[in-house]
């Protein structure tokens, strides 16, 4: 009797476990299937978009009339961003598949810049056409390779999940057809990535490279000297525990990274100082901040005097914001009453004790110079006429900004409103073209 | 003994009279700004008062939200110009404040109570206040939020404490219509909150006799309030205060500063990613992880939005294993803000990995920049 009961219970348990296991298995399969389908969709869509891209660039090349060129280039732009989007959904995050993304980005930049410009006044140059032809050829190559991977995927029912597993496991050599296929594509693109595109899409030197260029001829300092720089910068008579390390080859310029104990708050101050010239690049104090007893404007004064003592002269506060109990201040260099936006530093001040807890001057270090030439052909009034008529202009400055091509341009800077929104526009003071238009952020409602 | 008692009661009487007098006068001339200079980007009580006063005389028609944004800035400049102040700089210093105090009125209780309750409301002079307040929002209906923020409240600077008692006092009388269960939420936590305040100077202000405001009818249709969400609907929205939000002024603040180009939700998403990826790491390392996300957005070889970069398959382990859905702490959020404000301890890295756990060989081939905590950051 008892045995029968036990057997019955066991049967129920086994059946129950089996059923539960089956359900789990089903569920897992459903999720895996779903993920796989998402990947497949992105992949097939990508193949399709590259086809479209190729065709569209082709027809742009064939086009002669200017009024058709812009919409066509706009279409190229749209398709390339769609393709970029698809690519971003594929599990390629851990593999060197960067060249294809870069290609798509270049196509996108090229088509965007040329579609928005006035083709009547600035038609495509011969060079532009040559670039377009190159892009056309490259699109064809990528299209071919993708199509061949696609046919493999379809014929052998290759799964992206397997590719993902392979990439996660970091198998070397990767023997997954999809992964290999994509590697081949990327290698091909690498081969032609050096092609010189239109000057506007050419490589713009980043701040790191500029910092390297600027400091490379300055004197190298020792770790000890770096500590002296830090001491002076932080305005301390002595530093307690300091740990210094050096940055690796991945950074264009060489720097010391310092970790300095802040005994008073029981935290660390971290900062980077360039090896050449000993310029502080950034500084952070991670301490907790108590109640805010200082106003934003008192904190701004502290930030300003911090800059003064560290020999950042002629800096003007252009933006201030309070986050929690921290004030964040953007300062730019002012040369002959002209705001030089590329020469920017950001200073953070704690609103409890009023000390500087954050500093960053990548941009200033890369760009700052005292002697600039300014091209002011247009007067304020002339520039104002170029601005949107609906804009109620409230404030005007003269400013230097870096445009999309990475060149410094002198502009008339207007702040204006349309209804309740504030816009900032930069009109090139030499050519009168609209260099930049941006809507300035309004306070965001607290939703939660 | 007896004499002593009478003496005491006389003193009491005097104090009481003083109470009344002071509260009366404060009410008439309206509570003035704190001594601080208020400038663009600021948040807090002074900004609330500024916006309310500017709305009172029609120079400001935005929301009274406690954030000194662009709209407030233009209003201040216009006011300074129209009232003949010599400096038209949009900075609210002594002179502008004095002028505002002369030219406008400020009913602190009305404004702050409406803010606390999350109402949509306006504050135009000459208009009956009863028709200036909209339906009650979700604020004040969540008992949880109040005790949480109160302790922080006393950190808002001295002027807060002075004002605090005065605005709380009349609450019970005005609060008649709201449902009973709300009451404890509103009042109870307030009392202890005042205790820790170090300088309870001027106790005289405390028992301010309720401004003789007639009890509000809840359903008051707000005439100029923009189309509103149903109160019922708003109750549903979780009002739970997030610790990383602008905690100091949470109960008076209906808006916050956001960095250019990022919404609060972007920041939240990034904070979750940073927390999931690097919560045990030094602060510098957290800022560096946030900076890597931003560097990827800038980079041509990665997608160009916050969400696309974070959710790119296999890009971040925290996304793959679901750790991104943990609630981030204040530090993670602050790290994100620091990164958005330009800090980049990673040295412009677009990859990082944990050398202990990295299985992918390719990642080792990247030019390394530096190691922070247990992550190696590379180009």
């Amino acid at each position: 009797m008892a045995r029968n009961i036990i057997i019955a219970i066991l049967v129920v348990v086994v059946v129950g476990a089996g059923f539960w296991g089956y359900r789990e298995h089903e569920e897992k399969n459903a999720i895996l299937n779903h993920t796989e389908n998402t990947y497949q969709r992105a992949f097939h869509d990508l193949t399709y978009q590259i086809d479209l891209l190729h065709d569209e660039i082709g027809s742009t090349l064939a086009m002669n009339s200017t009024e058709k060129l812009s919409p066509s280039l706009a279409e190229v732009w749209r398709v390339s961003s769609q393709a970029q989007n698809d690519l971003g959904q594929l599990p390629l995050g851990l593999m060197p598949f960067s060249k294809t993304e870069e290609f798509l980005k270049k196509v996108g930049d090229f088509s965007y810049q040329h579609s928005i410009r006035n083709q009547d006044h600035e038609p495509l140059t011969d060079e532009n056409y040559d670039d377009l032809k190159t892009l056309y050829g490259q699109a064809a190559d990528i299209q071919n390779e993708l199509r061949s991977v696609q046919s493999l995927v379809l014929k052998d029912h290759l799964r992206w999940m397997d590719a993902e597993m392979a990439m996660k496991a970091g198998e070397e050599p990767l023997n997954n057809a999809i992964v290999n296929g994509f590697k081949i594509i990327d290698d091909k693109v690498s081969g032609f990535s050096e092609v010189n595109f239109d000057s506007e899409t050419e490589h713009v030197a980043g701040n790191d490279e500029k910092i390297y260029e600027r400091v490379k001829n300055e004197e190298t300092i020792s770790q000890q000297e770096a500590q002296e720089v830090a001491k002076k910068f932080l305005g301390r008579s002595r530093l307690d525990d300091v740990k210094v390390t050096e940055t690796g080859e991945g950074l264009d310029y060489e720097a010391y990274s310092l970790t300095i104990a802040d005994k008073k708050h029981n935290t660390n101050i971290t900062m980077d100082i360039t090896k050449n010239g000993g310029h502080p690049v950034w500084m952070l104090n991670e301490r907790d901040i108590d109640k805010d007893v200082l106003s934003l404007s008192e904190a701004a004064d502290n930030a300003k005097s911090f800059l003064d003592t560290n020999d950042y002269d002629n800096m003007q506060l252009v933006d201030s914001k309070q986050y929690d109990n921290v004030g964040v201040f953007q300062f730019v260099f002012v040369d002959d009453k002209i705001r030089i936006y590329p020469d920017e530093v950001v200073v953070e001040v704690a609103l409890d004790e009023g000390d500087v807890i954050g500093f960053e001057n990548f941009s200033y270090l890369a760009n700052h110079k005292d002697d600039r030439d300014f091209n002011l052909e247009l007067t304020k009034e002339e520039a104002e006429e170029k601005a949107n008529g609906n804009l109620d202009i409230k404030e005007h400055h003269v400013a230097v900004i870096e445009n999309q091509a990475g060149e410094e341009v002198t502009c008339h800077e207007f702040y204006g409103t349309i209804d309740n929104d504030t816009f900032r526009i930069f009109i090139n003071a030499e050519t009168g073209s609209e260099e930049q238009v941006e809507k300035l952020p309004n306070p965001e409602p607290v939703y939660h | 003994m007896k004499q002593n008692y009478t003496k005491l009661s006389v003193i009491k009487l005097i104090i009481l009279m003083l109470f009344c007098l002071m509260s009366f006068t404060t009410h008439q001339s309206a509570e003035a700004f704190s001594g601080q200079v208020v400038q663009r980007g600021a948040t807090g009580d002074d900004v609330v008062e500024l916006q309310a006063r500017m709305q009172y005389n029609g120079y400001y028609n935005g929301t009274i939200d406690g954030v000194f944004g662009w709209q407030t800035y233009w209003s201040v400049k216009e006011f300074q110009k129209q009232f003949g102040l010599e400096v038209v700089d949009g900075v609210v210093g002594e002179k502008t404040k004095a002028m505002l105090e002369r030219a406008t009125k400020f009913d602190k209780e009305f404004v702050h109570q409406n803010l606390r309750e999350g109402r949509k409301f306006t504050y135009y002079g000459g208009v009956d206040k009863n028709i200036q307040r909209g339906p009650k929002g979700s604020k004040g209906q969540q008992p949880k939020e109040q005790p949480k923020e109160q302790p922080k409240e006393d950190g808002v600077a001295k002027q807060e404490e002075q004002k605090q008692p005065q605005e709380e006092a009349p609450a019970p009388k005005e609060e008649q219509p709201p449902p009973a269960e709300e009451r404890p939420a509103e009042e109870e936590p307030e009392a202890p909150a005042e205790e820790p305040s170090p300088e309870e100077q001027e106790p005289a202000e405390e028992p301010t006799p309720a401004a003789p405001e007639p009890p509000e009818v809840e359903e008051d249709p707000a005439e100029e309030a923009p189309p509103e969400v149903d109160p019922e609907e708003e109750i549903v929205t979780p009002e739970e205060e997030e610790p990383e939000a602008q905690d100091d002024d949470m109960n008076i603040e209906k808006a916050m500063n956001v960095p250019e180009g990022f919404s609060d939700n972007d920041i939240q998403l990034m904070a979750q990613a940073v927390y999931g990826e690097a919560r045990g790491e030094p602060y510098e390392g957290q800022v560096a992880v946030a900076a890597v996300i931003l560097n990827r957005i800038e980079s041509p070889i990665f997608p160009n939005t916050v969400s696309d970069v974070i959710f790119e398959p296999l890009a971040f382990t925290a996304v793959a294993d679901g750790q991104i859905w943990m609630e981030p702490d204040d530090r993670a959020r602050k790290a994100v803000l620091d990164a958005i404000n330009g800090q980049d301890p990673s040295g412009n890295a677009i990859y990082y990995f944990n050398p202990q756990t990295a299985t992918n060989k390719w990642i080792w081939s990247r030019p390394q920049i530096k190691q922070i905590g247990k992550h190696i950051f590379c180009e």
Side-chain angles (χ1 to χ4, degrees), chain B residues 41-98:
Chain B
T43 58
D45 273 3
D46 275 349
V47 181
V48 171
E49 178 168 352
L50 170 70
Q51 289 174 331
R53 283 183 185 276
M54 304 271 285
Q55 196 171 76
Y56 188 88
N57 61 4
Y59 281 86
Y60 179 71
N61 57 9
T63 324
I64 299 176
D65 57 12
V67 180
F68 198 144
W70 286 101
Q71 216 186 330
T72 315
Y73 178 72
W74 302 127
S75 308
V76 170
K77 281 187 93 170
E78 188 60 29
F79 175 82
Q80 289 174 328
K81 207 167 99 193
Q82 295 296 328
F83 277 69
L85 288 150
E86 23 326 358
V87 261
V88 180
D89 55 359
V91 175
V92 184
E94 277 318 307
K95 282 186 181 162
T96 309
K97 278 185 200 165

Side-chain angles (χ1 to χ4, degrees), chain A residues 88-89 168 208 248 250-251 270 272 283 291 297 319-320 322 324 348 359-360 395 420 422 438 444 446, chain B residues 40-41 43 71 73-74 77 155 245-246 254 256-257 260 264 313 338 342-343 348 359 368-370 379:
Chain A
Q89 289 178 39
K168 252 190 191 158
D208 291 354
L251 193 61
T270 44
D272 273 12
M283 184 276 284
K291 49 187 181 178
S297 87
D319 196 23
S320 57
Q322 182 174 348
D324 301 331
E348 284 180 38
F359 169 81
E360 171 272 291
E395 220 174 278
N420 290 335
T422 300
E438 57 188 329
E444 188 174 299
V446 178
Chain B
R40 190 160 52 76
T43 58
Q71 216 186 330
Y73 178 72
W74 302 127
K77 281 187 93 170
Q246 306 247 314
K254 292 294 288 153
M256 66 178 118
N257 280 318
E260 225 163 307
D264 185 50
D338 269 338
Q343 292 282 7
N348 227 346
T359 46
Q368 295 182 5
I369 296 167
K370 61 167 87 162
E379 205 182 326

Side-chain angles (χ1 to χ4, degrees), chain A residues 94-320:
Chain A
L94 272 181
M95 71 178 280
F97 195 62
S98 48
K99 292 295 176 193
T100 310
E101 291 230 22
E102 206 171 337
F103 164 78
L104 287 173
K105 162 92 172 154
K106 277 180 178 168
V107 173
D109 282 354
F110 179 90
S111 53
Y112 176 73
Q113 268 159 17
H114 292 288
S115 66
I116 57 166
R117 85 177 186 196
N118 190 335
Q119 299 291 348
D120 285 332
H121 294 126
E122 296 175 78
L124 289 185
T125 62
D126 286 349
E127 274 168 41
N128 294 153
Y129 269 108
D130 285 345
D131 290 340
L132 206 55
K133 266 183 210 155
T134 319
L135 290 174
Y136 182 59
Q138 295 175 351
D141 283 352
I142 295 180
Q143 182 189 16
N144 275 335
E145 293 301 330
L146 267 177
R147 282 292 180 202
S148 83
V149 176
Q150 191 185 27
S151 76
L152 250 167
V153 167
L154 290 173
K155 192 170 105 244
D156 297 341
H157 301 295
L158 297 178
R159 296 185 342 139
W160 273 94
M161 295 300 276
D162 296 336
E164 187 176 344
M165 296 294 176
M167 276 180 277
K168 252 190 191 158
E171 288 166 27
E172 203 95 25
L174 290 166
N175 52 3
N176 180 287
I178 295 180
V179 178
N180 285 340
F182 268 81
K183 267 203 160 157
I184 291 169
I185 298 172
D186 209 51
D187 286 347
K188 284 223 162 147
V189 190
S190 310
F192 52 65
S193 67
E194 301 308 320
V195 175
N196 186 20
F197 286 111
D198 177 71
S199 66
E200 280 172 282
T201 48
E202 233 181 328
H203 173 73
V204 173
N207 280 343
D208 291 354
E209 280 166 278
K210 288 195 205 159
I211 292 174
Y212 166 73
E213 283 300 324
R214 161 139 188 238
V215 302
K216 67 178 179 191
N217 293 325
E218 295 191 44
E219 228 168 278
T220 314
I221 62 164
S222 68
Q223 295 203 358
Q224 204 53 46
E225 286 168 311
Q227 293 191 29
E228 288 302 312
V229 171
K231 202 165 84 181
K232 183 172 168 285
F233 184 73
L234 298 171
R236 311 219 163 185
S237 49
R238 56 183 283 269
L239 300 179
D240 299 319
D241 295 337
V242 187
K243 216 180 79 205
V244 187
T245 55
E246 290 178 29
T247 53
E249 51 170 321
L251 193 61
D252 287 307
Y253 56 92
E254 288 179 286
Y256 294 115
S257 295
L258 285 77
T259 307
I260 302 154
D262 180 1
K263 286 259 166 70
K264 187 177 166 201
H265 301 103
N266 205 15
T267 52
N268 287 322
I269 298 169
T270 44
M271 65 185 293
D272 273 12
I273 295 171
T274 60
K275 226 179 207 181
N276 291 335
H279 302 283
V281 187
W282 59 266
M283 184 276 284
L284 263 180
N285 185 349
E286 60 166 289
R287 73 178 181 83
D288 291 328
I289 300 146
D290 295 336
K291 49 187 181 178
D292 51 337
V293 290
L294 263 74
S295 74
L296 197 62
S297 87
E298 285 172 279
D301 293 342
N302 288 4
K304 182 75 171 74
S305 57
F306 173 82
L307 290 179
D308 288 340
T309 52
N310 281 298
D311 298 329
Y312 291 88
D313 300 326
N314 297 321
M315 301 301 284
Q316 188 185 67
L317 182 67
V318 290
D319 196 23
S320 57

Side-chain angles (χ1 to χ4, degrees), chain B residues 249-291:
Chain B
D249 308 320
M250 199 56 190
N251 66 337
I252 54 129
E253 200 158 76
K254 292 294 288 153
M256 66 178 118
N257 280 318
V258 282
E260 225 163 307
F262 294 87
S263 74
D264 185 50
N265 291 333
D266 291 336
I267 296 168
Q268 173 69 12
L269 185 59
M270 282 180 69
Q272 282 176 220
V274 167
Y275 190 70
E277 288 278 310
R279 65 182 167 283
E281 293 291 290
Y283 182 71
E284 183 195 0
Q286 297 191 349
V287 180
V289 167

Side-chain angles (χ1 to χ4, degrees), chain A residues 347-395:
Chain A
V347 182
E348 284 180 38
V349 175
L351 296 177
D352 57 349
E353 294 173 24
D355 52 330
V356 171
I357 52 160
F359 169 81
E360 171 272 291
N361 76 340
F362 296 99
S363 184
Y364 182 92
L365 201 50
N367 298 302
H368 178 67
K369 50 177 184 272
D370 280 311
D371 48 336
R372 280 185 169 84
D373 294 327
F374 304 108
N375 297 312
L376 271 166
E377 305 269 317
L378 271 70
T379 63
K380 178 194 163 194
E381 286 70 27
E382 285 168 328
E384 205 169 319
E385 275 170 32
K386 307 271 181 188
N388 185 331
N390 293 327
L391 204 68
D392 178 10
I393 290 173
K394 304 257 192 191
E395 220 174 278

